[in-house]
Each structure stands twice: as structure tokens, then as C-alpha cells.
Amino acid sequence: YASGNDDTFKNFANKDALMKAAEGFKTQEFKNSTGLEAIGADKAYALGYSGDNTYLATIDVSQPNISNKDLIGKISKDGDLLPGEQDDILHATHVAGIILAKKSDSDDKDNMHGVAYNSKLYTYQVDTGVIKPLLLKIPDSVFIINESFGFPEWLEDFIGSDMRILNSKLAAKGKLIIHAAGNDSKLERKDLMDAYTEDTRNGFIGVSSINSLVSSKNPNFLRYDTNLAGGLKNNFVVAPGNEINSTLCNNSYGKMS
């Protein structure tokens, strides 16, 4: 839990200067993002890490709406393969903002910026029948791929083999796959296990949701409905996922969990 860790700079000769620089990144825009301090993003920025020359990708059940001013010019969409439901578009837009919404140092009460605000993002839409073709589309320049989707239980067996094929080959190409565990109150979600194989074990991380607005000792620190690691305990982390402020459609911002 990074916000409680004061040892980040302990081995640096200029640690005092770095701590001061990190404090300087805690603008109103930074605080509005609600999860950045919890992951120690200010410390990463002080060390010069903000996504420069970094290419990321998301795989979601819809494409994001890139009309928000903080996303314009930062996203390459792989076309609208499928129409996408409005709620799915909202989710994809919110996730994109968490990753790389622009940093403008605004004091607006809602404006926020993403974790890797200087990065670029390729976005891909996935559904049954279009999982494997994605392998041919993701550029070599992309290193980290965020998978943030789930399917109804009755489809899990149907798509499981495609998920295994896709992720095994992505991992073989040196990609790091980050897969959101989802919010179904399960000890283990089958499609998460399908996304992980022995071939991906060195390039796959599952993520559960915490509430970074409360102490790590609070019983509500782990979000009440987040899915847990199950058989993925050695490839699993937790990260802020409760009431996170990010980009929405129509050039607005809002909190989602």
C-alpha cells in the first residue's frame, strides 16, 4: 500500500529533493483522481516516470468515447468492430482515463489526470468470435495490455479456449497482461483462470479492487464485491478500484467502481 510507504527514496542521495518533488505533484487534479496517491504515483513522477515513449493497450467489450478533451490525440482505436452497449462504452472511456488522461494542472473540482499521463494507448474491442484476431493487430511497441472485461457464466466455457490462445501468444511475445478480476463476489472467477495458463505465468497479473479512501486496517479496505485470487495467488495484486474519478462521455468526469 504505497501511500503509507516512506522508504521509496531511502537509497537515493538526493532523497530530500525527491520527496519535495513528489509533494509538488500532489495538485488538485492529482487528488481528484482519487487513486494516484494510494499507488505512490507522485513518487514515480518525481523519478521521471509518467509514461513518456510508452505504448499501452486495453482490451474491453467496447471502444472508449474519445471526445473528452483529456483523451483527444492520445488513443488509437482499432475501429468499432461491434456496436457496443452504452454502459460498456462508459466503462471503456473510464478505464482509458484512469490510464492516461492528460495532465493540465487544472484546479477544477472534477478535472483529473491518468496514471501514465504521457503515454499512448491502443484500444481494442472484444467479444465472442473476435478474440483471436486481436493477436494480429497489437503492435510490437505495446508492452502492457490491460484486459478489463468479463462474460456471462454461460459463455465462459465457450470463450475459455480463445482466451488461453490469445494470452499465451501475447505472453510469448513479451507482453505483460493485466487482467481485472471483476466484481461478482467470487473466490475465483472462471474466465480469469481461463485467461491465465502455465504459458503466461511470467507475464500475467490478476487484480482485485481495494477502497483506497479508507485505512488498510479497515474491514472495508477490500471492496465488498471484488472477485478474489483463487488459484492465482502467486500472480495477483490489489489496486484502488472503489469510487475512482475518471473521464466519461460528453467531456465530463465521474466516479465508478
Side-chain angles (χ1 to χ4, degrees), residues 99-113:
I99 294 172
L100 53 39
K102 291 177 184 176
K103 183 177 183 293
S104 61
D105 294 323
S106 168
D107 289 330
D108 184 272
K109 65 180 179 66
D110 296 318
N111 199 63
M112 48 72 65
H113 69 72

PDB file of all heavy atoms in Angstrom, residues 99-113:
ATOM      1  N   ILE A  99      -5.921   5.385 -17.141  1.00  0.00           N
ATOM      2  CA  ILE A  99      -4.584   5.071 -17.651  1.00  0.00           C
ATOM      3  C   ILE A  99      -3.822   6.314 -18.076  1.00  0.00           C
ATOM      4  O   ILE A  99      -2.670   6.517 -17.675  1.00  0.00           O
ATOM      5  CB  ILE A  99      -4.685   4.086 -18.830  1.00  0.00           C
ATOM      6  CG1 ILE A  99      -5.222   2.732 -18.338  1.00  0.00           C
ATOM      7  CG2 ILE A  99      -3.321   3.908 -19.505  1.00  0.00           C
ATOM      8  CD1 ILE A  99      -5.544   1.753 -19.445  1.00  0.00           C
ATOM      9  N   LEU A 100      -4.453   7.200 -18.898  1.00  0.00           N
ATOM     10  CA  LEU A 100      -3.626   8.261 -19.500  1.00  0.00           C
ATOM     11  C   LEU A 100      -4.301   9.600 -19.737  1.00  0.00           C
ATOM     12  O   LEU A 100      -3.808  10.395 -20.542  1.00  0.00           O
ATOM     13  CB  LEU A 100      -3.025   7.762 -20.822  1.00  0.00           C
ATOM     14  CG  LEU A 100      -3.902   7.167 -21.937  1.00  0.00           C
ATOM     15  CD1 LEU A 100      -5.211   7.828 -22.160  1.00  0.00           C
ATOM     16  CD2 LEU A 100      -3.106   7.115 -23.223  1.00  0.00           C
ATOM     17  N   ALA A 101      -5.366   9.920 -19.021  1.00  0.00           N
ATOM     18  CA  ALA A 101      -5.965  11.247 -19.199  1.00  0.00           C
ATOM     19  C   ALA A 101      -4.900  12.333 -19.022  1.00  0.00           C
ATOM     20  O   ALA A 101      -4.020  12.233 -18.170  1.00  0.00           O
ATOM     21  CB  ALA A 101      -7.095  11.453 -18.195  1.00  0.00           C
ATOM     22  N   LYS A 102      -4.989  13.368 -19.839  1.00  0.00           N
ATOM     23  CA  LYS A 102      -3.968  14.418 -19.871  1.00  0.00           C
ATOM     24  C   LYS A 102      -3.812  15.130 -18.527  1.00  0.00           C
ATOM     25  O   LYS A 102      -4.778  15.299 -17.783  1.00  0.00           O
ATOM     26  CB  LYS A 102      -4.324  15.455 -20.937  1.00  0.00           C
ATOM     27  CG  LYS A 102      -4.203  14.962 -22.355  1.00  0.00           C
ATOM     28  CD  LYS A 102      -4.651  16.031 -23.344  1.00  0.00           C
ATOM     29  CE  LYS A 102      -4.630  15.517 -24.771  1.00  0.00           C
ATOM     30  NZ  LYS A 102      -5.160  16.503 -25.728  1.00  0.00           N
ATOM     31  N   LYS A 103      -2.605  15.555 -18.257  1.00  0.00           N
ATOM     32  CA  LYS A 103      -2.296  16.351 -17.073  1.00  0.00           C
ATOM     33  C   LYS A 103      -2.249  17.815 -17.486  1.00  0.00           C
ATOM     34  O   LYS A 103      -1.458  18.219 -18.331  1.00  0.00           O
ATOM     35  CB  LYS A 103      -0.960  15.930 -16.482  1.00  0.00           C
ATOM     36  CG  LYS A 103      -0.556  16.646 -15.205  1.00  0.00           C
ATOM     37  CD  LYS A 103       0.759  16.069 -14.675  1.00  0.00           C
ATOM     38  CE  LYS A 103       1.163  16.697 -13.359  1.00  0.00           C
ATOM     39  NZ  LYS A 103       1.521  18.125 -13.495  1.00  0.00           N
ATOM     40  N   SER A 104      -3.120  18.624 -16.889  1.00  0.00           N
ATOM     41  CA  SER A 104      -3.170  20.043 -17.264  1.00  0.00           C
ATOM     42  C   SER A 104      -2.969  20.966 -16.072  1.00  0.00           C
ATOM     43  O   SER A 104      -2.995  22.181 -16.218  1.00  0.00           O
ATOM     44  CB  SER A 104      -4.521  20.348 -17.923  1.00  0.00           C
ATOM     45  OG  SER A 104      -5.587  20.081 -17.023  1.00  0.00           O
ATOM     46  N   ASP A 105      -2.804  20.386 -14.864  1.00  0.00           N
ATOM     47  CA  ASP A 105      -2.623  21.168 -13.627  1.00  0.00           C
ATOM     48  C   ASP A 105      -3.797  22.113 -13.375  1.00  0.00           C
ATOM     49  O   ASP A 105      -3.632  23.211 -12.835  1.00  0.00           O
ATOM     50  CB  ASP A 105      -1.306  21.955 -13.665  1.00  0.00           C
ATOM     51  CG  ASP A 105      -0.099  21.032 -13.657  1.00  0.00           C
ATOM     52  OD1 ASP A 105      -0.153  20.000 -12.970  1.00  0.00           O
ATOM     53  OD2 ASP A 105       0.887  21.346 -14.341  1.00  0.00           O
ATOM     54  N   SER A 106      -4.983  21.667 -13.748  1.00  0.00           N
ATOM     55  CA  SER A 106      -6.183  22.455 -13.508  1.00  0.00           C
ATOM     56  C   SER A 106      -6.613  22.337 -12.049  1.00  0.00           C
ATOM     57  O   SER A 106      -6.430  21.313 -11.404  1.00  0.00           O
ATOM     58  CB  SER A 106      -7.309  21.953 -14.419  1.00  0.00           C
ATOM     59  OG  SER A 106      -8.553  22.498 -14.035  1.00  0.00           O
ATOM     60  N   ASP A 107      -7.190  23.414 -11.528  1.00  0.00           N
ATOM     61  CA  ASP A 107      -7.726  23.405 -10.168  1.00  0.00           C
ATOM     62  C   ASP A 107      -9.220  23.113 -10.146  1.00  0.00           C
ATOM     63  O   ASP A 107      -9.864  23.238  -9.114  1.00  0.00           O
ATOM     64  CB  ASP A 107      -7.468  24.754  -9.489  1.00  0.00           C
ATOM     65  CG  ASP A 107      -5.998  24.950  -9.154  1.00  0.00           C
ATOM     66  OD1 ASP A 107      -5.322  23.941  -8.897  1.00  0.00           O
ATOM     67  OD2 ASP A 107      -5.534  26.108  -9.148  1.00  0.00           O
ATOM     68  N   ASP A 108      -9.758  22.728 -11.311  1.00  0.00           N
ATOM     69  CA  ASP A 108     -11.176  22.402 -11.388  1.00  0.00           C
ATOM     70  C   ASP A 108     -11.516  21.280 -10.413  1.00  0.00           C
ATOM     71  O   ASP A 108     -10.739  20.345 -10.223  1.00  0.00           O
ATOM     72  CB  ASP A 108     -11.522  21.973 -12.816  1.00  0.00           C
ATOM     73  CG  ASP A 108     -13.009  21.722 -12.993  1.00  0.00           C
ATOM     74  OD1 ASP A 108     -13.438  20.576 -12.742  1.00  0.00           O
ATOM     75  OD2 ASP A 108     -13.725  22.653 -13.368  1.00  0.00           O
ATOM     76  N   LYS A 109     -12.671  21.354  -9.806  1.00  0.00           N
ATOM     77  CA  LYS A 109     -13.036  20.396  -8.752  1.00  0.00           C
ATOM     78  C   LYS A 109     -13.239  18.982  -9.286  1.00  0.00           C
ATOM     79  O   LYS A 109     -13.216  18.025  -8.513  1.00  0.00           O
ATOM     80  CB  LYS A 109     -14.306  20.864  -8.030  1.00  0.00           C
ATOM     81  CG  LYS A 109     -15.557  20.883  -8.892  1.00  0.00           C
ATOM     82  CD  LYS A 109     -16.758  21.366  -8.097  1.00  0.00           C
ATOM     83  CE  LYS A 109     -18.018  21.422  -8.932  1.00  0.00           C
ATOM     84  NZ  LYS A 109     -18.485  20.103  -9.364  1.00  0.00           N
ATOM     85  N   ASP A 110     -13.433  18.812 -10.591  1.00  0.00           N
ATOM     86  CA  ASP A 110     -13.648  17.480 -11.164  1.00  0.00           C
ATOM     87  C   ASP A 110     -12.488  17.001 -12.026  1.00  0.00           C
ATOM     88  O   ASP A 110     -12.287  15.801 -12.196  1.00  0.00           O
ATOM     89  CB  ASP A 110     -14.930  17.477 -12.017  1.00  0.00           C
ATOM     90  CG  ASP A 110     -16.175  17.733 -11.190  1.00  0.00           C
ATOM     91  OD1 ASP A 110     -16.271  17.167 -10.082  1.00  0.00           O
ATOM     92  OD2 ASP A 110     -17.032  18.502 -11.647  1.00  0.00           O
ATOM     93  N   ASN A 111     -11.733  17.914 -12.611  1.00  0.00           N
ATOM     94  CA  ASN A 111     -10.682  17.541 -13.549  1.00  0.00           C
ATOM     95  C   ASN A 111      -9.651  16.619 -12.891  1.00  0.00           C
ATOM     96  O   ASN A 111      -9.284  16.806 -11.732  1.00  0.00           O
ATOM     97  CB  ASN A 111      -9.991  18.797 -14.074  1.00  0.00           C
ATOM     98  CG  ASN A 111      -9.238  18.544 -15.350  1.00  0.00           C
ATOM     99  OD1 ASN A 111      -9.834  18.204 -16.363  1.00  0.00           O
ATOM    100  ND2 ASN A 111      -7.927  18.684 -15.302  1.00  0.00           N
ATOM    101  N   MET A 112      -9.187  15.608 -13.631  1.00  0.00           N
ATOM    102  CA  MET A 112      -8.230  14.637 -13.103  1.00  0.00           C
ATOM    103  C   MET A 112      -7.194  14.331 -14.178  1.00  0.00           C
ATOM    104  O   MET A 112      -7.292  14.809 -15.302  1.00  0.00           O
ATOM    105  CB  MET A 112      -8.954  13.356 -12.667  1.00  0.00           C
ATOM    106  CG  MET A 112      -9.940  12.768 -13.671  1.00  0.00           C
ATOM    107  SD  MET A 112      -9.257  11.969 -15.139  1.00  0.00           S
ATOM    108  CE  MET A 112      -8.403  10.571 -14.418  1.00  0.00           C
ATOM    109  N   HIS A 113      -6.177  13.551 -13.832  1.00  0.00           N
ATOM    110  CA  HIS A 113      -5.262  13.061 -14.854  1.00  0.00           C
ATOM    111  C   HIS A 113      -4.967  11.587 -14.612  1.00  0.00           C
ATOM    112  O   HIS A 113      -5.150  11.064 -13.514  1.00  0.00           O
ATOM    113  CB  HIS A 113      -3.975  13.893 -14.921  1.00  0.00           C
ATOM    114  CG  HIS A 113      -3.047  13.770 -13.740  1.00  0.00           C
ATOM    115  ND1 HIS A 113      -2.301  12.640 -13.481  1.00  0.00           N
ATOM    116  CD2 HIS A 113      -2.729  14.659 -12.758  1.00  0.00           C
ATOM    117  CE1 HIS A 113      -1.566  12.836 -12.400  1.00  0.00           C
ATOM    118  NE2 HIS A 113      -1.816  14.039 -11.937  1.00  0.00           N
TER     119      HIS A 113
END
